[in-house]
Each structure stands twice: as structure tokens, then as C-alpha cells.
């Protein structure tokens, strides 16, 4: 049994490590962590200490409608995506939580992670569990842990859950279970629709009236994920004519990786070239990430999306606040922040780091190159659905296409043209610290013919050049791959940086193998 929490939860191959038995073990640890935070103890889990109270899955009190409901105690929200058996894994989690005396709000159908996260806040729950492997390949599934504020739990909380899994196994403690039908009857599990509360929230963040006035035609690629139906429905309610593709239930994602990057979005690009659409939108497997396409099928990546939204929020909404970006995200944000005199915060990869800052300061926009983005007034969670709605608002109110807006931005002397690329290399397991040390042993003085101005090791190794180009080499926190990222001013310069990065990575990995 190997269960470890990475950048955003636990992910593993279905039927290999991601089994019902392991999911139940994780659920038991989550239950214990939740109860411990409230000074309670799971049923039959040992003697009470430090004023803890024993809870019972059986204790009930009369409700106003004459039925019975569980005694007041902690509640968790549980959601799931469209992957193979995700709905059944969600039920298994709910059964374990209910057996530990925790009330469960269980989504009635697959739903986007940001909607489940907002439901936590709306229902004032202690936290949540999302069954999803997000953008990972179809053979994976996973569990994301969410805090009471709707964002991801901290690394320390995840490690506490992880340690409880192993301590329970060592002590021979098995997960408690209460069958679904009984739990529903006792009021411990309640099915719900997360859309109404989410809709009531986003209409405060998006100008639906402006969209309705322009009534743009929108193409939506759900990539077989949880964005299906939901984004379409909200856009239609805003007055858009919507054409949705890859929206049917397909747990294998028709063999694609549900990640909204250029190599996976050719069906959307073809639709944009052939049809008469004002904007194209794509969401990933659990709809917490966004990608976009212009009228001619041109890919608008998350770097450009963030830059355009930052400019729009400042110039059209007259908002202010800090700009938070991960180490793998565009320098355009730095240049725009300088234009608007806004502070910039750079974090390691993983939206949980952005979430932490959104809880402690006034963040105008925060996001990462993978497409997880949030804004001021929203929960600290990447949200592909909300970002898609905001992009449509921006196109509707400006009267310009995404391509026209982006070309205008990059034509500004204080911004300039930026291009981006990424290479993912499958690798065998190694220690991240060892790779970083190996890369730093002999760092290059220049890359792609440009002098290196700064070297950072905040997350992997990042080399920033004098012309604001950069190269980043870091292991993925969710897959057995080494990611090599680069940004520069022409596609040729990006490719040269990526080639240099691949060479550096191969040399560093060879040194590790030989040590």
C-alpha cells in the first residue's frame, strides 16, 4: 500500500493502487482528522483525551418534518468527476464518513471541482472531498482534499491525513462503514445539486447583462469532463448561443488526456475555423482549468488568458490588488503589474500556494500556467467555469476577439511578444532535492545565446535571462514526469531553450543514476 499526497491530493492508477480498499482507508483518515479538529473522536477508536467527545453514527434527534437527522456535528461535501467508477468511489467515501458520525453532502451527479468547493462554503461545511484525477490520463483517479474556505488543504493537513492512513494500517484499524441506504435514511448522507448556489455566486462576479446584450456565439469543448452541461447552461442563461463538443459521458475520455493544452484541442480549433463563433472555451477533467481558442482556431493559452484578464479587471473593472503567479507562469504578468503598480507574488507550482495567499491578502488575480485561475471575490480555487464566463464577458464588452486583444497587448512597448512551450519527459522515481542539487552544480552562464541573470530553486530550478526569457526544470507533483518549461520572444527561441533544458535534465539525471 503506497498512498502519498502530492501537489493537489492523491492520484494513482485505477485498480492498481487506486482501489476501493485504499479509498476507504483514505476516507477513514479524513474522518479522523475532521473529528480531531473539532475535539471529537471517531466511534470505537480508543480512549478519549484532552476533553474529546465520543461521536456516534447512530445518535439522532427529531427534525421539523418528523423524520430524524444526525446530531449536530461536522459535515463534509463530497463530489466526483466523470472518470471510471468515480461515482462509486464517492459513495464509498460517504459511507465511511457517515459511519464515523460525519454528515455528508454528496453531489447528485458529476460536477466541477470549483462547484463542489463553493458548496463547502455555502453549506458551512468543515471541508470536502473531490474524487478526481483532474487533467491526468484516463487510467488515473484521485482524491482532492478541500478546506472549509473552499481551497485545497495545506501540506501539513495532507501529511497528517497521510500519516493517519499508515498508523491505522500499522495498528490493524480498518475503516468503519455504514451502508449507503441506511446512511441516507438516518440523514447522514444527503444528495444535492451544487449548481444553484454556485450560479447565485458567479452572477455577482460576471456581468451577465453585458453578455446578454452582445449575445455572442460560443464554442465549448468539455473534453468529456465535468464542465459538460454546466458551462453550457450558464452561458445559455447569459444569452449566448452555445455549441458544445465532447460533452457526452465517456469515462475513458475517448483516449485523450483531459488537459486543455494545444495538442489536445484540435477538435475545438477545427470547430472555430469552420463555424461562426466569437470565442472558444475548453475545460479540463474536473473543470478547474481553462484554455481558449480565437475565431481562427488560434490557441490562447493560460498565460495569455491571465494577462488579458488582469488588464481587463484593472482597466474595465477598476480593481486593484496583488498578482500571484507560480514559477512556471508568464513574465507578461510582471510587466503588466509594473504598469499598474501592483505587487507580484511568485509561488511554487500548485494552486494550494496561491490559495494560501488569497486567504491572507487582497489578491486581484492568481493563477498558474496549467490554467487554474481565480480572482478577487471568489473562493481560493482554480475555476475554469468562472474564467470561461469572464472571457466571454470581456469579448462581449470590448467588442474585440481574444486574438485582437492579445495582439494589442503584446504590441505595447512595455509588454512585448512572449511565446511559451513545455516538454514532459517520463522518468523513474528520484528525489527532487537530488535533481535540484545536480542541476545547480554547474549552472550555465547563458542559454539560447542570452546571459543568465538569476537562478532560483523555489520549485525545481528556474533560470531567468536578461531579456526576461526563462527556463524551468521541475518534477511533476502528480505524474512520473519531468516538466521542462520555457518562455521567450519567438517560437524559435522557446524551442532552443527547451532543447537546452532537455540536455541539462538528461545530464543531471545521468549523474544521479551514476552516483
Amino acid at each position: 500500500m503506497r498512498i502519498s499526497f502530492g501537489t493537489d491530493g492523491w492520484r494513482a492508477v485505477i485498480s492498481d493502487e487506486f482501489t476501493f480498499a485504499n479509498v476507504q482507508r483514505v476516507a477513514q483518515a479524513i474522518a479522523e482528522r475532521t473529528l480531531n479538529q473539532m475535539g471529537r473522536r471517531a466511534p470505537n477508536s480508543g480512549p478519549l483525551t484532552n476533553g474529546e467527545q465520543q461521536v456516534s453514527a447512530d445518535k439522532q434527534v427529531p427534525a421539523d418534518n418528523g423524520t430524524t437527522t444526525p446530531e449536530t456535528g461536522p459535515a463534509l461535501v463530497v463530489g466526483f468527476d466523470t472518470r471510471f467508477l468515480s461515482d462509486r468511489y464517492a459513495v464509498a467515501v460517504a459511507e465511511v464518513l457517515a459511519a464515523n458520525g460525519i454528515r455528508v453532502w454528496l453531489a447528485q451527479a458529476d460536477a466541477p471541482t470549483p462547484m463542489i468547493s463553493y458548496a463547502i462554503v455555502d453549506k458551512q461545511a468543515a471541508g470536502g472531498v473531490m474524487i478526481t484525477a483532474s487533467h491526468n490520463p484516463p487510467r488515473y483517479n484521485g482524491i482532492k482534499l478541500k478546506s472549509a474556505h473552499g481551497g485545497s488543504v495545506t501540506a501539513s493537513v495532507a501529511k497528517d491525513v497521510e500519516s493517519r492512513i499508515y498508523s491505522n494500517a500499522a495498528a490493524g484499524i480498518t475503516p468503519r462503514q455504514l451502508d449507503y441506504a441506511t446512511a441516507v435514511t438516518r440523514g447522514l448522507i444527503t444528495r444535492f445539486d451544487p449548481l444553484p448556489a454556485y450560479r447565485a455566486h458567479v452572477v455577482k462576479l460576471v456581468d451577465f447583462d453585458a453578455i446578454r446584450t452582445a449575445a455572442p456565439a460560443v464554442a465549448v469543448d468539455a473534453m468529456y469532463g465535468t464542465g459538460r452541461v454546466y458551462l453550457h447552461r450558464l452561458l445559455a442563461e447569459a444569452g449566448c448561443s452555445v455549441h458544445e463538443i465532447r460533452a457526452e459521458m465517456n469515462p475513458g475520455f475517448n483516449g485523450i488526456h483531459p488537459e486543455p493544452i494545444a495538442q489536445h484541442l484540435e477538435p475545438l480549433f477545427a470547430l472555430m475555423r469552420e463555424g461562426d463563433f466569437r470565442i472558444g472555451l475548453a475545460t479540463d477533467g474536473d473543470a478547474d482549468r481553462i484554455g481558449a481558442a480565437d475565431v481562427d482556431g488560434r490557441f490562447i493559452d493560460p498565460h495569455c488568458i491571465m494577462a488579458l484578464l488582469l488588464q481587463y479587471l484593472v482597466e474595465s473593472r477598476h480593481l486593484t490588488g496583488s498578482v500571484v503567479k507560480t514559477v512556471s507562469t508568464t513574465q507578461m504578468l510582471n510587466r503588466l503589474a509594473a504598469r499598474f503598480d501592483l505587487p507580484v507574488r511568485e509561488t511554487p507550482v500548485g494552486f494550494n500556494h496561491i490559495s494560501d495567499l488569497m486567504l491572507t491578502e487582497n489578491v486581484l488575480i492568481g493563477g498558474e500556467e496549467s490554467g487554474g485561475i481565480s480572482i478577487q471575490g471568489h473562493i481560493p480555487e482554480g475555476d475554469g467555469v468562472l474564467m470561461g464566463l469572464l472571457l466571454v464577458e470581456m469579448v462581449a464588452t470590448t467588442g474585440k476577439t481574444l486574438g485582437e486583444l492579445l495582439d494589442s497587448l503584446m504590441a505595447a512597448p512595455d509588454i512585448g511578444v512572449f511565446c511559451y512551450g513545455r516538454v514532459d519527459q517520463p522518468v523513474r522515481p528520484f528525489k527532487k532535492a537530488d535533481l535540484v542539487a545536480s542541476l545547480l552544480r554547474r549552472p550555465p552562464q547563458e542559454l539560447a545565446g542570452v546571459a543568465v541573470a538569476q537562478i532560483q530553486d523555489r520549485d525545481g530550478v528556474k533560470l531567468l535571462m536578461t531579456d526576461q526569457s526563462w527556463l524551468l526544470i521541475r518534477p511533476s507533483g502528480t505524474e512520473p514526469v519531468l516538466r521542462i518549461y520555457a518562455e521567450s520572444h519567438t517560437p524559435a527561441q522557446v524551442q532552443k531553450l527547451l532543447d537546452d533544458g532537455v540536455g541539462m535534465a538528461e545530464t543531471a539525471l545521468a549523474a544521479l543514476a551514476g552516483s
Side-chain angles (χ1 to χ4, degrees):
M1 178 182 67
R2 292 176 298 172
I3 300 174
S4 59
F5 287 79
T7 305
D8 193 14
W10 168 52
R11 297 177 197 179
V13 175
I14 299 169
S15 295
D16 180 6
E17 293 176 4
F18 202 89
T19 63
F20 280 99
N22 281 343
V23 167
Q24 289 164 342
R25 291 185 181 102
V26 174
Q28 181 64 36
I30 293 169
E32 292 172 6
R33 165 76 191 186
T34 302
L35 293 170
N36 178 260
Q37 288 298 103
M38 300 192 68
R40 296 177 175 229
R41 176 63 67 87
N44 304 325
S45 61
L48 304 179
T49 60
N50 298 326
E52 291 178 326
Q53 301 175 4
Q54 191 82 50
V55 299
S56 169
D58 300 325
K59 187 173 181 180
Q60 300 170 329
V61 295
D64 291 339
N65 59 8
T67 62
T68 57
T69 59
E71 103 178 289
T72 301
L76 293 176
V77 176
V78 177
F80 54 93
D81 67 7
T82 57
R83 290 170 185 268
F84 179 61
L85 292 177
S86 280
D87 58 335
R88 302 310 305 162
Y89 290 128
V91 169
V93 168
E95 289 176 334
V96 172
L97 297 176
N100 284 273
I102 295 174
R103 293 173 295 133
V104 179
W105 292 95
L106 176 60
Q108 64 185 23
D110 58 88
T113 290
M115 285 191 188
I116 297 301
S117 295
Y118 185 74
I120 296 170
V121 177
D122 178 64
K123 296 186 177 302
Q124 299 181 335
V129 179
M130 180 68 185
I131 305 296
T132 182
S134 192
H135 63 284
N136 288 133
R139 67 183 182 277
Y140 284 86
N141 213 324
I143 291 179
K144 290 184 176 181
L145 304 182
K146 299 299 176 181
S147 294
H149 54 67
S152 295
V153 299
T154 62
S156 62
V157 171
K159 288 303 177 185
D160 179 64
V161 171
E162 188 178 312
S163 67
R164 289 173 186 272
I165 296 168
Y166 289 99
S167 62
N168 282 346
I173 297 174
T174 57
R176 290 176 57 84
Q177 295 180 60
L178 181 66
D179 72 274
Y180 174 79
T182 302
V184 170
T185 299
R186 294 178 180 176
L188 283 158
I189 296 177
T190 304
R191 303 306 288 254
F192 81 105
D193 179 2
L195 179 58
Y198 180 84
R199 178 197 290 115
H201 171 65
V202 297
V203 296
K204 301 173 185 176
L205 300 174
V206 179
D207 191 342
F208 274 52
D209 289 337
I211 296 175
R212 194 170 289 110
T213 298
V218 183
V220 174
D221 185 353
M223 302 192 79
Y224 306 107
T226 61
R228 69 196 191 98
V229 179
Y230 293 102
L231 182 54
H232 184 168
R233 186 179 302 174
L234 289 168
L235 286 167
E237 289 176 5
C240 300
S241 59
V242 185
H243 184 91
E244 189 176 35
I245 61 172
R246 298 197 286 190
E248 64 271 25
M249 173 62 81
N250 188 326
F253 301 103
N254 201 27
I256 68 165
H257 292 197
E259 182 179 13
I261 58 178
Q263 67 196 72
H264 302 150
L265 294 179
E266 186 52 43
L268 177 63
F269 301 154
L271 181 62
M272 293 299 292
R273 289 191 293 265
E274 297 164 2
D276 185 17
F277 299 101
R278 193 68 175 165
I279 183 174
L281 303 171
T283 51
D284 74 323
D286 67 332
D288 66 347
R289 297 182 175 191
I290 186 72
D294 195 22
V295 292
D296 58 357
R298 171 186 176 186
F299 180 51
I300 308 297
D301 66 31
H303 301 277
C304 299
I305 289 172
M306 280 192 69
L308 290 175
L309 286 177
L310 172 58
Q311 178 179 241
Y312 180 70
L313 292 172
V314 174
E315 293 182 349
S316 297
R317 295 278 196 88
H318 309 293
L319 299 176
T320 187
S322 61
V323 178
V324 183
K325 49 171 272 192
T326 59
V327 295
S328 56
T329 306
T330 180
Q331 288 294 112
M332 284 191 289
L333 294 174
N334 298 67
R335 292 192 169 186
L336 274 169
R339 173 195 289 181
F340 300 130
D341 195 25
L342 302 176
V344 177
R345 307 278 187 264
E346 189 167 285
T347 74
V349 171
F351 204 89
N352 55 312
H353 301 292
I354 297 169
S355 177
D356 291 345
L357 287 171
M358 290 186 73
L359 294 171
T360 58
E361 63 181 70
N362 180 31
V363 173
L364 174 56
I365 189 168
E368 48 187 349
E369 61 87 26
S370 58
I373 309 168
S374 189
I375 63 165
Q376 189 179 101
H378 193 40
I379 56 174
E381 174 79 291
D383 191 339
V385 175
L386 174 59
M387 294 309 116
L389 292 169
L390 279 173
L391 287 175
V392 173
E393 178 196 321
M394 181 173 67
V395 168
T397 57
T398 62
K400 297 180 179 179
T401 67
L402 289 179
E404 290 169 341
L405 290 167
L406 184 59
D407 290 342
S408 176
L409 176 66
M410 289 189 175
D414 61 334
I415 305 299
V417 175
F418 280 88
C419 307
Y420 166 83
R422 188 182 93 188
V423 173
D424 291 351
Q425 289 193 322
V427 290
R428 294 182 177 180
F430 57 84
K431 291 182 179 179
K432 185 175 182 179
D434 292 342
L435 174 69
V436 170
S438 183
L439 288 168
L440 292 177
R441 199 161 287 128
R442 291 195 188 117
Q445 299 300 305
E446 66 174 42
L447 287 170
V450 182
V452 174
Q454 186 180 5
I455 300 176
Q456 302 172 352
D457 60 357
R458 181 177 290 112
D459 186 357
V461 173
K462 181 176 182 179
L463 299 100
L464 185 66
M465 271 62 79
T466 54
D467 66 348
Q468 295 293 292
S469 299
W470 54 267
L471 172 72
L472 171 66
I473 302 173
R474 62 173 290 275
S476 167
T478 59
E479 301 174 72
V481 299
L482 188 66
R483 300 202 194 282
I484 301 168
Y485 316 73
E487 183 179 52
S488 193
H489 305 292
T490 67
Q493 288 174 306
V494 169
Q495 188 56 55
K496 182 63 172 68
L497 283 173
L498 290 173
D499 292 342
D500 288 348
V502 169
M504 290 172 59
E506 289 177 346
T507 299
L509 291 171
L512 292 181
S515 60

